[in-house]
Amino acid sequence: CYWDNGTILANLLATAVACHVPARIVVGFVDAVDAAVGRLLSLDTRREGALALVTLGNATVKAAGFSPAVQPLAFETVPLSEKEIDYPAIEAMHEASSLESEREAVDWRSQASVVSSTGTGSPTFSPASKERFFALRPRGDDEIPRDTIEEVIQRRGSSREFSRESISFKQFSTMLDRATRGIPTDFLYPEGAPLNDLYPIVHAVEDLSPGAYVFHWDRLALELLKEGNFRREAGYLGLGQEIPADCSADVFFLTDLNMVPERFGNRSYRAAQLEASVTGGKLYLAAYAQSLGASGLTFFDDDVTDFFSPHAAGKSVMFLIALGKSAKRRSR
Ligand SMILES: Cc1cc2nc3c(=O)[nH]c(=O)nc-3n(C[C@H](O)[C@H](O)[C@H](O)COP(=O)(O)O)c2cc1C
């Protein structure tokens, strides 16, 4: 699942940065059922598939010659669940969007990079609505908590209950700022626009009116779309659960799936999902680094788009994360 994958990738990228090891996510690789990656990892390719590779390392010179032959890894693993539910549509989609050959992988990567120079755009900005814009006020580098990445990952764990208390605008700004500084990948570029737009519903953030917002990543600012207390609506949009109603802010990730295929072909859904889930994973870390809580949630797709429309018309929801103070573990 891309959500779990994004969590692990966000943790890995953060750990790599902390260890000064360059890291890059690779999505354009040969992953057909009989591909070398599956064989190397001894995957049961009817049930398992590789979603992403990560390159790690400091090598400054290209390795000469070919890598030595490696034996398949055959580790015993603990089953993830007691019983598995089969979702044939997921297998069919994964296979249909697999790359069959080195040529296809190279073509996919170059296609993604050519069009990316123009980006996929930013949420529309109308100068007339300036008074509805709120510039983020994130913590400076000297105010960032000093816990190690290991401590933050150990502390991280999805909040099961939120306290309805406010978080500060500085805490909220820091989460958005730190989570949206780009992802090193073979399909996104630091200067390019992200694939997903972030739409927060703010319930309890000091110095910020409750309401629905869109985040302008290029201006580090929030635009108020509609003001109001939307705890009840957020609870409904998050599948009628208490978590999205009781947190301080929900952040929905929406993408225009009609634009993304031009750039990524039939791997576009993977690209949009992966970007959202890695950014979601970073929001988790930014929350727990500040001793706050977070929880990734499921949602009613079309109702979320309707709620943020007309601004979000035509976009599809990829991810939802609730942020705030955990009911059992209060902020320091
Ligand atoms: C695709 C996906 C959807 C999820 N949806 C919900 C949800 O709607 N409500 C909920 O309480 N937890 C949901 N979860 C579970 C939590 O966000 C969390 O991942 C899970 O409790 C594991 O806890 P951990 O993050 O502490 O490892 C979902 C997880 C995934 C991967």
Side-chain angles (χ1 to χ4, degrees):
C1 136
Y2 282 91
W3 287 27
D4 290 350
N5 202 238
T7 299
I8 302 296
L9 288 171
N11 292 356
L12 176 59
L13 291 176
T15 308
V17 168
C19 297
H20 307 289
V21 175
R24 189 159 176 260
I25 299 172
V26 176
V27 171
F29 64 96
V30 183
D31 60 345
V33 278
D34 56 350
V37 172
R39 284 202 306 278
L40 176 66
L41 301 176
S42 303
L43 300 183
D44 172 358
T45 49
R46 284 173 303 112
R47 298 166 42 248
E48 300 172 310
L51 298 182
L53 313 179
V54 179
T55 59
L56 293 167
N58 279 310
T60 48
V61 281
K62 278 197 168 173
F66 292 101
S67 310
V70 281
Q71 293 304 312
L73 305 170
F75 297 120
E76 274 195 41
T77 52
V78 178
L80 294 175
S81 342
E82 277 178 26
K83 59 178 189 300
E84 288 182 17
I85 303 173
D86 195 22
Y87 293 104
I90 294 181
E91 284 163 42
M93 185 59 201
H94 188 75
E95 204 178 323
S97 58
S98 291
L99 299 175
E100 304 278 339
S101 64
E102 195 178 327
R103 182 75 258 152
E104 274 190 24
V106 170
D107 286 350
W108 186 84
R109 284 208 290 255
S110 55
Q111 174 68 16
S113 66
V114 167
V115 192
S116 77
S117 57
T118 58
T120 50
S122 168
T124 33
F125 167 71
S126 134
S129 56
K130 237 177 167 178
E131 71 282 359
R132 300 174 79 81
F133 271 73
F134 301 90
L136 296 190
R137 293 200 299 269
R139 292 177 196 254
D141 284 344
D142 53 338
E143 297 171 293
I144 292 293
R146 295 284 149 207
D147 296 337
T148 64
I149 186 63
E150 289 87 351
E151 286 166 336
V152 174
I153 291 174
Q154 290 281 352
R155 190 188 304 146
R156 181 210 166 284
S158 298
S159 301
R160 298 290 81 202
E161 197 182 339
F162 283 95
S163 68
R164 289 202 170 212
E165 286 173 86
S166 299
I167 58 171
S168 69
F169 187 44
K170 189 173 265 193
Q171 289 172 320
F172 189 47
S173 297
T174 302
M175 290 188 270
L176 292 174
D177 173 33
R178 294 281 164 167
T180 57
R181 293 185 172 194
I183 304 169
T185 66
D186 62 343
F187 67 99
L188 298 168
Y189 291 82
E191 68 280 8
L195 306 178
N196 286 271
D197 293 327
L198 273 55
Y199 287 84
I201 299 181
V202 170
H203 303 314
V205 175
E206 289 159 15
D207 304 324
L208 197 60
S209 299
Y213 291 80
V214 61
F215 174 57
H216 290 261
W217 59 272
D218 51 345
R219 293 166 186 272
L220 269 191
L222 289 162
E223 179 187 355
L224 179 61
L225 298 177
K226 53 184 171 185
E227 199 169 341
N229 183 341
F230 295 121
R231 283 194 188 273
R232 193 175 54 81
E233 289 81 352
Y236 165 74
L237 294 174
L239 288 194
Q241 300 177 81
E242 288 172 1
I243 291 175
D246 291 343
C247 64
S248 305
D250 295 290
V251 181
F252 294 81
F253 291 67
L254 279 80
T255 192
D256 184 350
L257 285 175
N258 297 319
M259 278 179 75
V260 177
E262 286 171 25
R263 182 163 147 196
F264 300 113
N266 60 6
R267 258 164 131 82
S268 53
Y269 195 69
R270 293 187 186 206
Q273 278 281 341
L274 202 75
E275 186 203 75
S277 61
V278 173
T279 310
K282 289 182 175 200
L283 280 174
Y284 259 104
L285 292 177
Y288 283 88
Q290 300 184 92
S291 296
L292 298 170
S295 207
L297 301 168
T298 320
F299 39 79
F300 288 120
D301 301 64
D302 294 346
D303 291 336
V304 174
T305 302
D306 287 348
F307 179 80
F308 290 105
S309 288
H311 197 284
K315 294 181 191 172
S316 304
V317 195
M318 297 287 111
F319 195 90
L320 159 60
I321 186 167
L323 304 167
K325 289 187 182 168
S326 166
K328 296 198 181 97
R329 185 177 9 209
R330 302 284 157 88
S331 168
R332 276 181 209 150

